[in-house]
Amino acid sequence: RQVPPRGPGRMAARPWSATAVPVSSAPAARAELHHGPRVECPVPSRLCVSCAPSSAASSSAERGVFALAKGSLAASALAVGLRRLRRQRARRLGRQSSIPGRVVQPPLPPYMRGLVIDVTEEKSPPELPPAVREHSAVLELEAALEADSPRVLCEALSTAGGWIFPAPGDLDRTKYPIMDAELTIRALKRFAQLRHSASDDLRPVDFVGRCGAGLKVLLRKCRSFDSQVRKAVSSDPAELLPVLRAFADQRSLVAKYTLFFSHAIEPVLPKLLKSQEPLPGLLRLLENYGTTQLSFLYEVATQGGLSARLHEIEPSELFETVQRWAHRAQAGKLPIILSNQVRAFLRSLACLRVKLTPQQRTDWLASVVWASVEEQTHESALLEEQVRAGLLERNDPGELLGLARALRSIGLVTDEVLLLLTGYLQDAFQASSQSHIGKVLAELSAHPCSLPQRMVNELIETCRDFGLRGAVEELEDLLNTWVRRRFELPGAAAAFAESLLDRPLGPEGPSARCGRQLLALGEPDDRLRPLLERLLDGPAIGSVGRGLELLGELWAPEGSPVPTLATANEILRLVGPEAPPRAADRAAELLVQRLAAQLPGHERELSGAIGGWRERSRGAQPLGEVVAPFVLLEAAKGPAQEDSANEGDLSRSARLLRQALAGEALRLDSVTPALSPFVDAAEDEAEEVVVLVARSCAEAGAPEGVLRRACDTFLEVGCPPGGFVRRVVFAALAAWEEEGVRGAGLDALQATGNWLVQETEPPDPSAAPSPPGTAMAAVQALMTLLLALGGVAPDFSSLKRAQEAVLGRLGRAGVAALSDAVAFAWCRAVPGLKPSLAVSHFDLWWNGQEDSRTVVEQLVTGTIVELRWKTQLRVEATFAGPGLAAGQTPAWRIEAGRKVPWFAPKELCKAAFAAETPIEEPRKRNQRDLTEKAKAATEGRCMYCGSNHKLQARLVWPKELGGQVLQSNLGAACPVCTDFFGRLGPEMWGEALTAKSELAADVWWTAQKEANTAQTNFLK
């Protein structure tokens, strides 16, 4: 706001003066105050330093006066207005209090109306004045209420929508409606009573004229007296249902007053669900009243009473009602709250079994999928589209299970959808063939426990039914697939076992193999012991699992290879001859014939020998003692045979021994089949075979003594598959320790390693290591030992794998030789490392007293200390006496125009210059931090030469040996030493660092002498 301009006669108040001075005389006053009396200031007031504050003070004082005046005027106006309002309110309250029977209460603010609790006694409404009761419109309406015609009532209602005003001279100026709350309730109930009764005389055309206007007046009054009307009709469904039926056919009229009907219906919804009114009639009746039908369905879902009354409604009618609301919700035509009510009702209906057509089932499942997610996602939309694409019409249980797994995998769909799928899955299983059911069960996921329990129970029932009705061969394939996939379905194996015991005994071989697979799936032995006794037709002794496995081999599928001699020995011990012969005895006779047929030159003799062995001792004597002589005879005199895929172990052993007798060299993989029939043979026969096999393998370069020892121990342990390589490695290590770790023993070890590498062709060392206990792990461990003995430094991971594989069984001499070899190999790879320090810490690590990280930390610390000591010795030998200050060393020297370490000889420099330039490692982002940590470890000096010129961080323990970028593995080095290290390699660089200190002095002063001579010649 702008202050009005100054004019003559205006007064300006000053805070420092009590007198008012005219505005026109303000300069004179300033002169009197500041420059003395009657002396005017020669400087203009806007430029005078003394007068300027007075002008500012004057303007601020004037603004304060105007603000105070405005505040006073506003306060006065507010006081006047408040007094006027008090007078008006007093007159109004006095006029209202003069009315008899009128209770006047001051109105409350809107925010306090819900917080005030009325504790006064409920009083009846005041009696209406006689003028109101005797009004013509009221009397006409009272007469219409007594009549039995809804037409008359509607016409009377059309004139009852106005007000009754007081007479001009009446003191009470209050106006009254023609219809109050009581009259409105009576009219509503009377209309509901007469509508659709015998007295109903309303026609559709009547709702357009006065009758329609009367109904509008009635609904308008109901809306005005909403609380009283709802209290009268919403307490009992018997009062509300006639009202709803009365207005059910007036859609347009009901649509205008939907809020009133919703408020009236919602409180009574729980009572409507428990009423005797048929459910279809309720749904059709509530359809005309907006979202009250959806509220009723939601109440049904929350109360859970639909399953008890589901028989009252046709499934198609319920489906159409629910789908109509679901389509509106999916299209976004409903608010979020109502959409959530639709989702809740659909989820509750998913647990019910409703008979629908295939198309309705498809739409139903798609809607339930939509309802099961709080927010539509891409995965749920794809699954919903998959359902609508005809998944249920195909009725394939495999597709249904796949859908269930997909729904569970996305983690958004609840169990209701999967429970709905359970019913569809049951129908699909009933309509599928047994072979198709077997395929579906075989394709089950490895995590069926993620399915709901109801679906798991359905799968178990399907497994039990399949075990009773399906073919045993199909059951065998199914269980074999489950075992291979490590399938776990709680209760499924028990269901199969129960069905397998309840059904008649089918083919013995598949039945035995099914029992063995059920044991692999977790069934106890005692549960399947009756199956083993049925197969043997007698009591079973020993392990049930091993017995079923042997019987599965006895009744092997057609085209299967002949069981091995060890397996045949166990089978014949289990079965044994009985009188009268059983099915198992007949199968054992066929097995004996198949064993004898492997040696065609001695078939009859071998068959008779095995039969006599069964009759005589019933397995007390090992079968190998009976068979081994015939194998040797077949190898020496039998006809030559070619290699066949279906040949047994007897014929294969005879063929390989025949090749050995002919002077051919046997391969490594031929040793096991050649020796396996002689596991339980007599000692002289086993010795003969061992000598023959070892001599044949030695033709390829392997030591014969090592192979003999390996074959002997291999026969003692029973010739396990893949175990001969480990026995060869153990035998080679034993010979290495016994014959000398540096002499003939080392030669035998190297020859064995070369032969194993040639026979096994191990993978590239950079490939993934083989697991401990395997043949390849033993070969890799042996190669790690040979490389360490040859000077190649191994890392800790390779040593650990070798120790777990075979090197952990080394004796004292072998461990000492390995420790020395590894220590010297590490010293070649880490310049400055002392062998004694490496040996001591390697021994601690090998015995499990230190871990690899501690060993590396100790070795790095010792290396840095050793390098610092060597540098000090070189400095003292070179600069003895008055030379450099303490702790100082040269950074480099010039050799052939290049910077070289100050102690490096000329020959070493020439070798470095001739080598290729090393590839620089990329600088790391935290190179500066690493350099600071490396300087702290080496006291700010190069750990090789002792200079402090442009130091950089470097790994002391190299990456090739498993070194990591850790503070305990960092050391500082100058660029010159780093370049020489990269050119010369760790071994030559380490030799230069560990050379005698006097050599460094000769190199330095010789170089200085040559430099001085060259400079003198240049100056001359």
Side-chain angles (χ1 to χ4, degrees), residues 662-676:
E664 298 181 12
L666 293 181
R667 291 184 56 83
L668 178 63
D669 53 0
S670 302
V671 175
T672 301
L675 295 177
S676 58

Side-chain angles (χ1 to χ4, degrees), residues 722-742:
F724 183 67
V725 175
R726 291 174 55 83
R727 300 299 163 182
V728 171
V729 174
F730 289 147
L733 293 176
W736 175 55
E737 292 185 285
E738 292 175 0
E739 299 177 11
V741 295
R742 296 297 178 187

Side-chain angles (χ1 to χ4, degrees), residues 905-916 980 983-984 988:
K906 286 188 176 182
E907 295 77 9
L908 190 67
C909 296
K910 292 180 180 179
F913 296 155
E916 297 181 359
F980 262 63
R983 291 175 178 272
L984 297 175
M988 291 184 63

Side-chain angles (χ1 to χ4, degrees), residues 141 145 150 153-154 157 179-195 214-223 225-226 228-234 239-247 253 260-261 264 289:
L141 183 58
L145 289 174
L153 178 60
C154 291
L157 288 172
M179 293 177 61
D180 59 352
E182 180 184 0
L183 198 56
T184 301
I185 294 172
R186 290 174 55 198
L188 180 64
K189 291 184 176 181
R190 184 60 177 168
F191 177 76
Q193 181 182 2
L194 295 176
R195 185 77 169 116
L215 290 180
K216 292 180 181 179
V217 171
L218 177 61
L219 292 178
R220 189 165 59 248
K221 290 297 180 180
C222 289
R223 186 175 59 185
F225 304 108
D226 182 69
Q228 295 91 329
V229 175
R230 283 194 289 110
K231 186 176 181 181
V233 300
S234 298
E239 298 285 346
L240 179 63
L241 289 177
V243 176
L244 298 181
R245 293 192 185 96
F247 291 94
L253 188 61
F260 162 72
F261 285 105
Y289 294 96

Side-chain angles (χ1 to χ4, degrees), residues 746-821:
L746 181 59
D747 297 337
L749 185 66
Q750 291 177 346
T752 304
N754 296 334
W755 179 70
L756 288 176
V757 170
Q758 179 182 356
E759 293 290 333
T760 58
E761 297 181 0
D764 187 72
S766 61
S770 302
T774 62
M776 291 306 304
V779 175
Q780 291 175 354
L782 181 59
M783 295 309 299
T784 301
L785 174 60
L786 292 175
L787 291 176
L789 294 174
V792 179
D795 56 355
F796 284 98
S797 58
S798 301
L799 290 171
K800 188 65 177 178
R801 289 193 297 268
Q803 184 183 22
E804 294 175 354
V806 293
L807 297 187
R809 301 177 61 174
L810 285 175
R812 182 176 300 178
V815 172
L818 175 63
S819 177
D820 293 340

Side-chain angles (χ1 to χ4, degrees), residues 164 361-362 377 397 437 456 599 601 723 819 901 960:
I164 300 176
R361 289 169 58 183
T362 300
T377 60
I437 292 176
V456 172
L599 305 178
S819 177
E960 293 77 8

